[in-house]
Amino acid sequence: METEAQAGWDFFDSVDFPADGTDDPLGRAPVRHVVTAIVVGHDGAAWLPRLNEALWALERRPDSLIAVDTGSTDETAELLASLPGVEPVVSLSARTGFGTAVARGLDAVGFAAIPSAVGPYGSDENTPVREWIWLLHDDCAPAPKALERLLLAATINPEIGIWGPKLRLWPRDRELLEVGVSTSLGGRRDTGIEPGELDQGQHDKMRDVLAVSSAGMLVSREVWEGLAGFDPRLPMFRDDIDFGWRAAKAGVRVAVAPESVVYHAQAAATGERPLAGTRRHAYQLDRAHAYYTVLANAPGKLLPLLIVRFLLGTIFRSVWFLIGKAPSGAVDEWTALLGTLLAGGWTKARKDRRKLDRQPHDSHKQLFARSITAIRHIVEDTGSSITERLREAWADEPEEQTVTTARRARTSTRVAVDQPRWRRQLIRRPFLIGWIFLVVGAVLSARSVLGSGVLRSDVMPPPHDTLGDLWHAAATAPPGVTPPAWLGQFAAWAFVSFGSPSLATDLMVLGAVPLAGLTAWSFLRKIVLDRMARAWGATAYGLSVFAGGAVSQGRLGTCVAAVVLPLLGMAIHTVTRRRRVALQGSWRAAWFAGACMAVLLAFTPSLGLLAVVGAGVGGLLARGWSRQSRQLLFSSVLALLLVLPWTIELLLHPSRIGQEAGGSPTAAIGPGDSIGRLLTGIPEGAPVPWFLGIPLVLVALLSMLRATRSKFELLGWAVALTGLVGTLAASRLGGGSGPLMFLMTAGWIGVITVTWDSLGRSAELIVRGVLTVVLLSSVVTAGWWIVRGDDGPLRREPAQDLPAYLVSAQQPPLNRSIVVATKQPDSGIEFTLVRNGGPRMGAVEAEAPARQSQSITEVLAALGGGGAGDEAQRLAELDIDYVYLVPPLDPGLVSTIDSVPGLNRSSANEGAAAWAVEVRADGKSPMREVTHDIWRILGIVGWLLALVFCLPTARRSVAGTHARRVA
């Protein structure tokens, strides 16, 4: 080969030149190595110039270089011909696989001739000679001492027949790709390298492995010919693992020499160039070859279990691809599995390899990846894939990030480099401090409502005992009554919360402040650049959930709405913002917006209706039939469909629009309340004084004095005024104005945050003074929150205020029914029918109509009027077992019930009274419940579809590779 390079060696750095030394430290007999290098290229013009440099830079060059071109359509053939000392290029068709190309190249050119002159390992012509084949890809680049270190390892360990280098990421990154490779019996390629792991010498230990990559593999001629080279049925992918597995079965050791470094681009695996000679996707080809490799080499006794394992894995991955809106990935999965099993090539391969099976599987079993390791990698890869795709799905486009340099300079935070890292992070991320405060404050403020029992309040019934009970309540109701839509959605949240409805309630109510602050920060970071303004806005938004009384009063609907509203804002912003290019993510955001509006319709119908109408009107008024207008209308229609039949219920009974999830409408503001409480959004009974909200309103009004206003500031005003008008209308009509008041407060906070962002770091004294007042008001509110706590109407108590024996009597197998009655001074007797655990969440919305409970009403009215003596028989016919009167007791009513035959006194709590119905009736007509099976199934299907279309599209990548493009 030539001795002078045509290019410089600046491609490599000092780490590619390990210390000199070519002698065996153990003083073994020298060996003369003759190396035949083979480069196989296919459309590799982008990488071959770097390989050319690398070959010139080698300190120990191969004795012969064979180049094979497999039907390239670019300048690959010319670049291969320019490699140093290359033999005439062998041209083959594009359908030729890597192993076949190597075999054809050796047949056409032959092995390097054994020179008569003695090399650097001795001067005796009788020194033993060992011939090697060095395999190279057109997208790899060996370091200057790569071949020398491989040969040194072969000299020290002559019993090893296959050597592999340490692979790093192309072009000369410190990131590791492989230091040997293995596979699990499930077919998962395992490199033992964490994604993004840098080479710091942690794997620099010579060791036996199952296989080494074909990029830089050094294999002795004897082993190559004994194993008949690579399997021609594996044109690419897994051919190296199959070769190493066959070598292990034949008793040939495979090892890695970490001091030898080769850089590899993995162009085919990462999709940087199309596959040669096939239309199959790289993922499908890799999966098919993985199945073939395992089936052709695994012990026969394991084949039935392995096929079952392949089938289960294919089902799991297919579902993953369907959820990720990549049905072609599911098709690839089944095509790879069924095609491999039915083609039968692996059965012939097993017959051909029987003569090579000299070692049992147990002798090299330790070289395979453990199943638990494969499962851990699958879980890690799945989690990182979800995180990465979600981050990409909701990331701002580059054009949205483009702002003036002066603006960025005004809003950037400079920190001295000598500060500790944690302090620099806190200074640069002020919301991190605010959110940590919200989390700690949420824990401290909940101190009085922690302990045994469940959360409940005057407007929030106790949660269900189990997830099954919650789901039953979401799907059943008395005839003619529609079960509330929010129960099904809350059941999904409870399922995520370890299947506990009580824990789900605690997290949503007690954690509403930090959760709302977090979602508000996610929204504000898309429209607000200033870090301090963004941090204050998110923190103030979270505190407003407490200030408005949503937490202390147990208003579950408002707590959920506070968390969901910023998410809806994010989705609408993604849909409506102007784009320079068409983006795929806008329809995903439209699905997400529809899902958010559906949640609002279920938990707070008033807010949900405003959102649906606003999006629909915005879509109709948009200029032209643009994609944004279609997406807004689609979101509105989707929201109405996802909560069916609750949408029909709201149309038939408009009074329910003012309800919140869990209870009756909460009129936060009444006609007699002051204008101050109305504007500040702090009603009577709120945990903080109403005057703490005055700074928000005043600063928002002062912002109107500015000459210019941004569109987001005007949007904040629109939200605030909508909440104000809605609050006035709801309070005058007797509906629930609590969620609408919160919407108004969110609008004030949005106006101030956007104004703060527009002013930047103004030096004007009046601006600083106004912002200081706002900050002090927020600090005082936060202190009030922590000192006062979340208690009030919200409390933690047993789920039922009944004696223990009555609570247990409702459970199977007794299934007793109890009428809990209260004597009102002027409105007769009010009652609640308690069974199956008593009235729980959703009981108010799913209460039976008056006509269905008319029989019980008539019996109680008769008792209140003195009784007729047959009330016990009538109660027994209605399948009622107990009558329980809660305090204050009416002596006359108690005396009447005591005198009724068949009603016998039972024990009760202090101040209450209870009677057991001792009469038994042959024919009973209990109040029935209807299961809404069709709506339940349609609802599940609809939400699953919405979830699938909200999620990012799944990616297919070849296992064990770093799917990264390098410029």
Side-chain angles (χ1 to χ4, degrees), residues 419-477:
Q419 295 280 352
R421 181 180 179 183
W422 65 270
R423 189 177 300 172
R424 296 200 305 269
Q425 295 296 328
L426 290 178
I427 295 175
R428 291 194 179 116
R429 293 169 173 80
F431 175 69
L432 180 59
I433 303 175
W435 194 71
I436 292 175
F437 170 78
L438 292 181
V439 172
V440 175
V443 175
L444 295 177
S445 61
R447 61 190 179 274
S448 57
V449 289
L450 297 178
S452 59
V454 296
L455 281 184
R456 56 186 299 189
S457 71
D458 299 337
V459 297
M460 185 180 72
H464 295 79
D465 293 329
T466 65
L467 185 61
D469 294 339
L470 178 57
W471 180 245
H472 176 78
T476 59

Side-chain angles (χ1 to χ4, degrees), residues 702-824:
L702 286 175
S703 67
M704 293 294 293
L705 301 178
R706 297 171 55 242
T708 58
R709 280 168 291 279
S710 68
K711 59 180 180 180
F712 295 114
E713 188 176 349
L714 295 176
L715 179 62
W717 270 103
V719 170
L721 292 178
T722 301
L724 176 60
V725 174
T727 301
L728 288 172
S731 63
R732 267 53 182 179
L733 295 176
S737 55
L740 298 170
M741 287 191 68
F742 177 80
L743 181 68
M744 178 185 62
T745 305
W748 298 139
I749 294 174
V751 170
I752 298 173
T753 305
V754 175
T755 304
W756 187 341
D757 182 53
S758 302
L759 295 174
R761 298 180 181 178
S762 175
E764 297 182 15
L765 185 60
I766 186 173
V767 173
R768 292 190 174 187
V770 169
L771 295 181
T772 301
V773 171
V774 170
L775 288 173
L776 288 177
S777 175
S778 302
V779 170
V780 173
T781 303
W784 208 290
W785 172 44
I786 294 177
V787 172
R788 184 191 184 281
D790 292 333
D791 62 329
L794 184 69
R795 57 195 182 274
R796 187 172 294 275
E797 294 178 347
Q800 296 188 44
D801 299 322
L802 297 175
Y805 78 94
L806 289 181
V807 174
S808 61
Q810 301 169 43
Q811 307 301 324
L814 298 178
N815 297 319
R816 303 304 189 193
S817 299
I818 307 165
V819 170
V820 179
T822 304
K823 182 67 170 68
Q824 301 295 334

Side-chain angles (χ1 to χ4, degrees), residues 481-496:
V481 178
T482 301
W486 69 268
L487 279 177
Q489 300 174 11
F490 195 73
W493 170 245
F495 176 79
V496 177

Side-chain angles (χ1 to χ4, degrees), residues 23 26 54 103 122 152 182 188 222 254 257 354 371 425 441 503 521 599 613 869 940:
D23 297 330
L26 300 180
L152 176 59
S182 182
R188 179 178 178 81
E222 178 184 2
V254 183
R354 286 175 182 172
S371 298
Q425 295 296 328
L503 178 59
W521 174 79
V599 174
V613 172
I940 293 174

Side-chain angles (χ1 to χ4, degrees), residues 571-583 586-587 590 615-616 618-636:
I572 296 296
H573 176 261
T574 304
V575 169
T576 58
R577 62 187 169 190
R578 296 180 180 179
R579 296 174 180 82
R580 300 177 183 176
V581 294
L583 295 177
S586 56
W587 277 107
L620 292 175
L621 297 181
R623 182 178 301 176
W625 188 242
S626 63
R627 185 175 61 175
Q628 284 83 356
S629 63
R630 296 195 301 270
Q631 289 166 355
L632 289 175
L633 289 174
F634 170 79
S635 300
S636 301

Side-chain angles (χ1 to χ4, degrees), residues 801-803 805 884-889 905-914:
D801 299 322
L802 297 175
Y805 78 94
Y884 190 88
L885 287 184
V886 298
L889 297 180
R905 276 280 192 137
S906 297
S907 60
N909 294 334
E910 184 179 357

